[in-house]
């Protein structure tokens, strides 16, 4: 169990004439949270289901610790997955739902009670699942994934339906899994959330990988030029001074300027030398959302 | 064993099996009443077949009263247990725990068959207590040692695993729960309708058509349980036809299940 990498290699899936996933390759390392990002319909769920042996790839392979999911012995003790929060019989209680899974995985019944406690569902444990909110179902799904305390975890959009407190809890939980050396793959379209949660990202669009690496590297690779937002009562003079100093300046309107190709410090220096009063000097924060939009722009249609 | 235990737990933790049990009792009552009523006709000529109803066959009818509706319920249970995995989208979790899908299908068949056989034992005890025992004088005994009666009871029990397999098979072949139930019932009751059609057709097409009705599971079951009256196919043909249906639907279903993408 030394190697619990998820390795996806040349994975493709066609549904009829729709090419849902095309030649996807990436690796998910243990001890890190890997975010799997992409717009709706990018093939994220299909890819996760291929990794888990539920969907047959048209081409390529996906292995966990070097083995296909189908070849794993006692799969629920090796890999925990949350794919579909609504996948439960509404007439069953939360506790019985987990007990069925314990039976299927050959785990003791007490694991059902332990994981209910872990996800904070003890109070609702003996109520039928049909009365659960989406957030409660997500927590039940997380409990189900963690029943066998597996070294590898796969979560598909786990933050769906969670309230802010729930998202905070999920973030802590996912981080703690990785901190304990587990391999964690989390798909999401909540980019800001991924920036807080993930160490690495794999960004897909139109069924293809567009970028992968650590969050920091991916951000650095797309934010080549810095952008600084400035507000001043003397916009004309500052505009001229900045242009003379070699920056590209846009004027969105009124007292505002957008400066490209110059750092915030340099912009402040130019303003001082020109004797222009500044009301605001704000470098644009590089965020994953911007990176994501830049990287996936126009690719969502490629099907 | 782990799979069997899981499947039993799944059935126990929903209300479906209890509804089936209630339906089983509801359908058994009229069947028993008819069988009891027939006891009064022992020795009298049956106008439709012009043969006398013997005490032995009346006893057999009492011991196996309620078998046919019970078999249909077992088949329905099979359909519901299988299609329920897709209806409630639990197939994902089931196949994550057991990636080898055919073993899941087999475990479900075994579970439903087991429940069916338990029900048939209960039915046997009920039929003995409420049917045969009170009427033992009219029947001229309990017929417990009569090989034909014992055989008829055993053969009716054989029906449960076969109908369980048919139900699971339909459940695998047809993804939608509603459609699967309708098709299963249509094939089942189609037997009765087919008989009427066949008798009309046999005038034109020859007597072989009459023998062909046995291809329907209900007719095959009747032949299997009620044994061979003169001019009817022997009981083993009925059993073979049922087994054929069970193996065919389960095998086709398993192949399809293995290829299917669980999305």
């Amino acid at each position: 169990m030394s190697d619990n990498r998820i390795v996806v290699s040349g994975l493709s899936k066609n549904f009829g004439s729709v090419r849902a996933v095309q030649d996807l390759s990436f690796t998910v390392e243990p001890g890190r949270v890997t975010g799997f990002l992409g717009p709706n319909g990018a093939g994220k769920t299909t890819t996760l289901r291929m990794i888990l042996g539920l969907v047959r790839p048209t081409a390529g392979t996906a292995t966990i610790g070097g083995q296909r999911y189908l070849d794993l012995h006692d799969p629920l003790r090796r890999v925990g997955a949350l794919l579909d929060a609504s996948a439960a019989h509404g007439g069953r209680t939360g506790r019985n739902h987990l007990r069925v899974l314990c039976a299927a995985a050959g785990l003791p019944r007490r694991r059902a009670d332990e994981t209910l406690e872990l996800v904070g569902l003890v109070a609702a444990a003996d109520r039928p699942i049909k009365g659960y909110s989406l957030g409660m179902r997500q927590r039940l799904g997380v409990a189900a994934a963690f029943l066998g305390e597996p070294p590898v975890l796969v979560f598909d959009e786990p933050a769906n339906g969670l309230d802010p407190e729930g998202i905070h809890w999920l973030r802590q939980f996912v981080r703690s899994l990785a901190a304990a050396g587990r391999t964690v793959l989390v798909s999401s379209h909540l980019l800001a959330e991924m920036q807080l949660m993930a160490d690495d990202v794999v960004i897909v669009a139109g069924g293809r990988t567009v970028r992968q690496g650590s969050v920091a590297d991916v951000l650095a690779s797309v934010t080549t030029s810095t952008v600084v937002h400035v507000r001043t009562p003397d916009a004309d003079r500052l505009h001229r001074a900045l242009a003379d100093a070699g920056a590209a300046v846009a004027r969105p309107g009124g007292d505002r300027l957008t400066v490209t190709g110059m750092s915030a410090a340099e912009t402040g220096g130019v303003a001082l030398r020109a004797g222009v009063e500044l009301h605001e000097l704000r470098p644009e924060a590089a965020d994953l959302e911007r990176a994501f939009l830049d990287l996936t722009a126009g690719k969502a249609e490629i099907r | 064993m782990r799979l069997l235990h899981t499947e039993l737990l799944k059935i126990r933790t929903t209300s479906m099996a209890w509804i089936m049990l209630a339906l089983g009792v509801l359908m058994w009552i009229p069947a028993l009443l008819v069988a009891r009523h027939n006891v009064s006709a022992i020795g009298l000529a049956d106008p439709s077949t012009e043969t006398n109803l013997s005490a032995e066959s009346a006893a057999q009818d009492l011991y196996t009263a309620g078998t046919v509706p019970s078999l249909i319920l077992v088949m329905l249970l099979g359909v519901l247990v299988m299609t329920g995995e897709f209806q409630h989208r639990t197939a994902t979790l089931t196949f994550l725990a057991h990636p080898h899908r055919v073993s899941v299908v087999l475990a479900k068949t075994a579970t439903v068959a087991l429940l069916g056989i338990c029900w048939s034992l209960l039915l046997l005890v009920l039929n003995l207590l409420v049917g045969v025992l009170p009427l033992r004088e009219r029947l001229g005994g309990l017929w417990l040692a009569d090989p034909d009666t014992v055989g008829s009871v055993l053969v009716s029990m054989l029906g449960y695993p076969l109908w369980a397999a048919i139900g699971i098979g339909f459940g695998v072949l047809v993804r939608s729960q509603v459609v699967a139930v309708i098709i299963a019932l249509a094939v089942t009751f189609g037997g009765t309708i087919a008989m009427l059609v066949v008798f009309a057709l046999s005038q034109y097409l020859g007597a072989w058509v009459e023998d062909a009705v046995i291809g329907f599971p209900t007719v095959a079951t009747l032949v299997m349980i009620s044994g061979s009256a003169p001019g009817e196919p022997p009981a083993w043909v009925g059993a073979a036809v049922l087994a054929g249906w069970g193996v065919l639907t389960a095998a086709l279903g398993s192949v399809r299940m293995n290829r299917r993408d669980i999305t």
Side-chain angles (χ1 to χ4, degrees):
Chain A
M1 302 266 275
S2 56
D3 176 21
N4 282 309
R5 272 194 195 87
I6 301 174
V7 178
V8 170
S9 163
L11 211 55
S12 300
K13 177 68 185 180
N14 301 342
F15 291 110
S17 62
V18 178
R19 302 167 84 180
V21 175
Q22 296 176 62
D23 197 22
L24 209 59
S25 300
F26 59 88
T27 305
V28 182
E29 299 288 339
R32 297 174 77 79
V33 178
T34 300
F36 191 34
L37 287 171
N40 290 336
K44 299 190 296 292
T45 297
T46 302
T47 303
L48 296 185
R49 284 183 179 263
M50 284 194 280
I51 293 173
L52 296 167
L54 293 169
V55 169
R56 286 157 61 104
T58 307
T61 57
T63 57
I64 298 164
Q67 284 181 296
R68 290 190 314 154
Y69 189 89
L70 296 177
D71 300 329
L72 290 178
H73 185 66
D74 258 339
L76 293 194
R77 291 170 194 247
R78 295 290 309 281
V79 184
L82 162 63
L83 291 177
D84 180 0
S86 61
H89 191 296
R92 257 184 219 125
T93 65
R95 198 189 301 278
N96 278 338
H97 175 73
L98 294 179
R99 281 186 177 167
V100 166
L101 292 173
C102 282
L107 294 162
R109 283 156 56 113
R110 64 176 166 76
R111 280 302 294 157
D113 306 327
E114 286 167 10
T115 50
L116 281 167
E117 200 158 322
L118 179 77
V119 301
L121 270 184
V122 174
D126 296 313
R127 297 212 311 258
I129 295 170
K130 59 177 170 249
Y132 282 22
S133 68
L134 181 53
M136 290 162 82
R137 284 169 193 242
Q138 289 286 17
R139 284 174 185 258
L140 187 64
V142 172
F146 202 60
L147 273 180
E149 297 178 88
V152 178
L153 288 124
V154 175
F155 298 117
D156 194 9
E157 304 273 3
N160 262 2
L162 289 180
D163 54 20
E165 190 262 324
I167 290 183
H168 178 76
W169 167 81
L170 178 74
R171 190 192 307 149
Q172 303 297 321
F173 180 65
V174 166
R175 299 275 348 147
S176 75
L177 293 174
R182 294 188 159 91
T183 308
V184 189
L185 179 60
V186 186
S187 87
S188 181
H189 59 264
L190 295 177
L191 302 150
E193 190 46 49
M194 277 298 106
Q195 204 166 359
L196 292 171
M197 198 190 280
D199 303 298
D200 297 326
V201 283
V202 175
I203 299 180
V204 292
R208 294 174 187 274
T209 318
V210 289
R211 196 62 62 93
Q212 59 185 298
S214 71
V215 172
D217 288 349
V218 169
L219 286 179
S221 74
V222 284
T223 47
T224 47
S225 56
T226 51
V227 174
V228 180
H229 298 278
V230 187
R231 239 160 38 89
T232 169
D234 205 350
D236 288 333
R237 241 169 82 207
L238 185 60
H239 192 161
R240 275 196 304 278
L242 287 168
D244 291 346
V249 185
R251 195 157 173 193
D255 58 351
R256 285 181 293 139
L257 299 175
T258 303
V259 187
T260 312
M262 192 176 271
S263 73
E266 287 165 337
T267 308
V270 170
L272 178 66
R273 283 189 292 280
V276 175
E277 180 184 343
L278 290 187
H279 290 173
E280 184 182 334
L281 177 65
R282 178 171 56 87
E284 187 174 283
D287 66 7
L288 202 52
E289 180 153 337
R290 184 55 178 268
F292 175 76
L293 289 173
D294 288 350
L295 288 170
T296 60
K299 293 199 174 105
E301 310 319 321
I302 310 170
R303 304 319 299 274
Chain B
M1 278 319 286
R2 192 197 279 184
L3 265 166
L4 210 60
H5 173 217
T6 308
E7 292 302 326
L8 276 173
L9 188 60
K10 280 184 193 171
I11 292 178
R12 234 178 51 211
T13 49
T14 59
S15 52
M16 176 181 63
W18 303 110
I19 295 170
M20 288 300 211
L21 190 66
L23 278 176
V25 172
L26 274 179
M27 292 167 85
W28 162 70
I29 292 169
L32 179 77
L33 291 178
V34 169
R36 282 185 61 134
H37 175 78
N38 283 350
V39 172
S40 59
I42 291 174
L44 300 178
D46 179 344
S48 64
T49 58
E50 295 180 4
T51 53
N52 292 350
L53 181 69
S54 68
E56 183 188 22
S57 94
Q60 286 175 14
D61 287 351
L62 271 177
Y63 275 115
T64 57
T67 297
V68 170
S70 298
L71 290 173
I72 293 172
L73 282 179
V74 162
M75 177 196 66
L76 278 183
L77 184 66
V79 172
L80 292 177
V81 158
M82 197 63 238
T83 52
E85 293 276 1
F86 294 96
Q87 184 83 2
H88 301 288
R89 308 172 71 169
T90 47
T92 295
L93 290 170
T94 298
F95 293 135
L96 281 177
H98 298 285
H100 298 283
R101 301 178 189 174
V102 174
S103 64
V104 174
V105 174
L106 291 178
K108 282 187 187 296
T109 312
T111 307
V112 176
L114 193 68
L115 290 176
I117 286 174
C118 289
W119 164 249
S120 78
L121 290 172
L122 178 68
L123 210 58
L124 183 63
V125 172
L126 286 174
N127 282 331
L128 174 66
L129 293 180
V130 201
V132 179
L133 220 46
L135 296 170
R136 61 186 179 281
E137 282 178 26
R138 190 87 181 80
L139 290 165
L142 292 178
W143 296 92
L144 274 174
D146 177 50
D148 284 350
T149 308
V150 172
S152 158
V153 168
L154 287 180
V155 161
S156 73
M157 284 186 181
L158 176 69
Y160 289 89
L162 297 177
W163 279 79
I166 294 174
I168 295 285
F170 275 122
V172 189
L173 283 174
V174 185
R175 191 188 293 236
S176 152
Q177 190 155 56
V178 178
V179 176
V181 167
I182 290 173
I183 291 182
L185 286 180
V187 170
T188 309
F189 291 109
T192 323
I193 301 161
M195 256 194 287
L196 298 174
V197 176
V198 160
F199 285 127
L201 284 179
S202 59
Q203 296 176 4
Y204 307 101
L205 295 175
W208 67 269
V209 187
E210 236 166 287
D211 297 335
V213 237
I214 201 178
F216 281 90
T218 12
V219 182
T221 307
L222 287 174
V223 167
M224 185 175 90
I225 296 171
S226 59
S228 41
E232 274 181 22
W236 66 264
V237 176
V241 168
L242 272 192
W245 271 94
V247 169
L248 187 74
T249 49
L252 281 178
S254 296
V255 169
R256 214 184 134 203
M257 182 63 95
N258 247 1
R259 296 210 176 137
R260 182 187 290 180
D261 291 330
I262 310 295
T263 52

